[in-house]
Amino acid sequence: MSDEMGIFEAMYNCRAMRRLDTKPVPEELLVKLIDAANQAPSGSNAQNARWIVVRNPDVKRELADLNRKGVEAYVGPNVDNPGSLPHHSEEKRRRMVASVIWQMEHMHEIPALIIACMEFEMKVDAATMAMGGGSIWPGIQNLLLAARALGLGAAPTTLGLMDHAAVTKALNLPETMAAFCLIPVGYPLGKFGPVTRKPVSEIMRFDQWS
Amino acid sequence: MSDEMGIFEAMYNCRAMRRLDTKPVPEELLVKLIDAANQAPSGSNAQNARWIVVRNPDVKRELADLNRKGVEAYVGPNVDNPGSLPHHSEEKRRRMVASVIWQMEHMHEIPALIIACMEFEMKVDAATMAMGGGSIWPGIQNLLLAARALGLGAAPTTLGLMDHAAVTKALNLPETMAAFCLIPVGYPLGKFGPVTRKPVSEIMRFDQWS
């Protein structure tokens, strides 16, 4: 039916790929990712998602520093106690933390850091931020699937974006814009593979939850 | 490469399909949609998205009534003044409002109303709701793309879910769960077609926004 990767094949094999090569990604492919993201739906079809593709070494370094602070705050208390989160086996948790730390150490060397932003009609505050999710995350998912289909690794993270003032300065955002997600993109060092998820019987009901 | 619909073909042709036939959708396909949604990423891989597929006529009627209230509050003030939203031409806006109203009038007859929910570790309040977006909307986008690939129509809406207490009662949700999005699903009455979006040059920058 198609010479593209199949839609279900992409979804079922779209692991978070955090270990990425320094090899540059052609600009044409980066634009293709953003164009795919831009096809996603938005509330009232307002199309207010905005995308910044950071390749400049100085801006990447600023984002990497912000991410380091976020990762240390998040992972720090759990790093020697990876079994403390209830939803993962200790071994799986340990592997995830290791890859988050790899990403933190190497973020400034990753070829492209894509920032998913929203443009609002008013100055951004905490209440605005809370409203935006449904108009930005569908596009992020399109971007991740498109990256998978093009052989690029990617993994969304929000840990480096908590300091809104610092992010605004690093990316020169107007006061009506806010950054929601950072997606490092590059050629993967590891192998693509299937995701593992809970069985559908655990996460689905008919008619009512209970 | 694949006997599935291609990933880019699905993304670029995934219109909001609101006018849907009453013809039932096989349960196997409904489960396939939820399984596809369940492959999406979630914060810390917590996998706390939950999905309710409503086919029961009484529950559908309750959700349709809640949606009617939400649509009337949203569309009401603009229904005779469709040019008042800046991001659409008047004609395009008028067509969108007409299809939202069609959906409102027929929602109780649509074969399946899928509710995307999140399960939290604590009792849900407004602050919890604001946190969940990045762990539920990627799955909703997977579901919409999967529906497109399977020849099913779908369109996400949040207008009927504003009254948390009423939704909790209709769906028998525990106090740790909240509904984020309602996606009516069925065979389309109209034709699938390409989405129209702003050109990528308007929504993308390199390195910094300005």
Side-chain angles (χ1 to χ4, degrees):
Chain A
M1 296 251 287
S2 174
D3 58 0
E4 298 168 1
M5 179 176 282
I7 176 83
F8 292 102
E9 186 186 351
M11 286 179 190
Y12 281 78
N13 292 277
C14 198
R15 275 191 196 160
M17 302 296 277
R18 295 192 184 87
R19 291 182 174 85
L20 302 175
D21 202 343
T22 56
K23 181 185 161 189
V25 177
E27 186 164 310
E28 175 198 340
L29 293 190
L30 294 169
V31 174
K32 202 164 176 174
L33 294 182
I34 306 302
D35 201 56
N38 190 40
Q39 305 310 308
S42 53
S44 297
N45 194 22
Q47 300 185 49
N48 43 6
R50 302 290 179 267
W51 306 86
I52 305 176
V53 180
V54 178
R55 297 179 297 187
N56 176 291
D58 296 333
V59 185
K60 284 202 289 187
R61 176 65 77 174
E62 284 186 70
L63 294 171
D65 288 347
L66 289 172
N67 181 66
R68 176 181 293 274
K69 284 182 200 160
V71 171
E72 286 175 351
Y74 172 72
V75 169
N78 297 304
V79 69
D80 294 323
N81 184 22
S84 64
L85 292 190
H87 53 277
H88 285 169
S89 71
E90 182 168 329
E91 188 239 334
K92 193 167 174 177
R93 173 81 185 150
R94 206 179 286 278
R95 271 190 284 132
M96 194 178 89
V97 168
S99 82
V100 168
I101 289 175
W102 190 97
Q103 186 188 56
M104 176 184 86
E105 301 287 2
H106 295 268
M107 186 165 278
H108 62 289
E109 301 166 342
I110 290 172
L113 305 180
I114 297 182
I115 319 292
C117 302
M118 291 272 295
E119 176 136 44
F120 295 96
E121 286 170 17
M122 64 204 82
K123 193 175 161 179
V124 171
D125 60 19
T128 350
M129 289 291 293
M131 299 185 320
S135 295
I136 189 71
W137 286 96
I140 293 165
Q141 181 63 4
N142 268 14
L143 191 154
L144 297 175
L145 294 169
R148 178 64 192 84
L150 298 172
L152 293 167
T157 175
T158 60
L159 295 174
L161 304 177
M162 303 303 177
D163 182 346
H164 177 63
V167 173
T168 294
K169 187 162 172 288
L171 297 171
N172 215 4
L173 300 181
E175 62 182 11
T176 51
M177 269 175 73
F180 276 72
C181 184
L182 188 165
I183 310 123
V185 172
Y187 290 96
L189 291 173
K191 282 186 209 158
F192 289 112
V195 295
T196 50
R197 299 288 186 243
K198 292 176 183 174
V200 71
S201 58
E202 282 187 30
I203 56 93
M204 172 184 177
R205 299 285 184 277
F206 283 103
D207 297 323
Q208 294 186 313
W209 188 257
S210 52
Chain B
M1 295 251 288
S2 174
D3 59 359
E4 299 169 0
M5 180 176 283
I7 176 82
F8 292 102
E9 187 185 349
M11 285 179 191
Y12 281 79
N13 293 278
C14 198
R15 274 192 197 160
M17 302 298 277
R18 295 192 183 87
R19 292 181 173 86
L20 302 175
D21 201 345
T22 55
K23 180 185 163 191
V25 177
E27 186 164 311
E28 175 197 341
L29 293 189
L30 294 169
V31 174
K32 202 164 175 173
L33 294 182
I34 305 303
D35 201 55
N38 190 39
Q39 305 309 309
S42 54
S44 298
N45 193 23
Q47 300 185 50
N48 43 6
R50 302 290 179 266
W51 306 86
I52 306 176
V53 180
V54 178
R55 297 180 297 187
N56 177 292
D58 296 334
V59 184
K60 283 202 289 186
R61 177 64 79 175
E62 285 187 70
L63 293 171
D65 290 347
L66 290 172
N67 181 65
R68 176 180 294 275
K69 285 182 201 161
V71 171
E72 286 174 349
Y74 171 73
V75 170
N78 297 304
V79 71
D80 295 322
N81 185 21
S84 65
L85 292 191
H87 53 278
H88 285 168
S89 71
E90 182 168 331
E91 190 239 331
K92 193 167 174 179
R93 173 80 186 150
R94 206 180 287 279
R95 272 190 284 131
M96 195 179 88
V97 168
S99 82
V100 168
I101 289 175
W102 190 98
Q103 186 189 56
M104 176 185 85
E105 301 288 2
H106 295 269
M107 188 167 276
H108 61 288
E109 301 166 343
I110 290 173
L113 305 181
I114 298 182
I115 320 292
C117 302
M118 291 271 295
E119 176 136 45
F120 295 96
E121 286 171 16
M122 63 202 86
K123 192 174 163 180
V124 171
D125 59 21
T128 350
M129 288 290 292
M131 298 186 321
S135 295
I136 189 71
W137 286 97
I140 293 165
Q141 181 63 3
N142 268 14
L143 190 154
L144 297 175
L145 294 169
R148 177 65 192 85
L150 298 171
L152 293 166
T157 175
T158 59
L159 296 173
L161 304 177
M162 303 302 177
D163 182 347
H164 177 64
V167 173
T168 294
K169 187 162 172 288
L171 298 171
N172 215 4
L173 300 181
E175 63 181 11
T176 51
M177 268 176 75
F180 276 71
C181 184
L182 188 165
I183 309 124
V185 171
Y187 291 95
L189 291 174
K191 281 185 208 159
F192 288 111
V195 296
T196 50
R197 300 284 186 247
K198 292 177 183 172
V200 71
S201 58
E202 283 187 29
I203 55 94
M204 172 185 177
R205 299 285 184 277
F206 283 103
D207 297 324
Q208 294 187 313
W209 189 257
S210 53

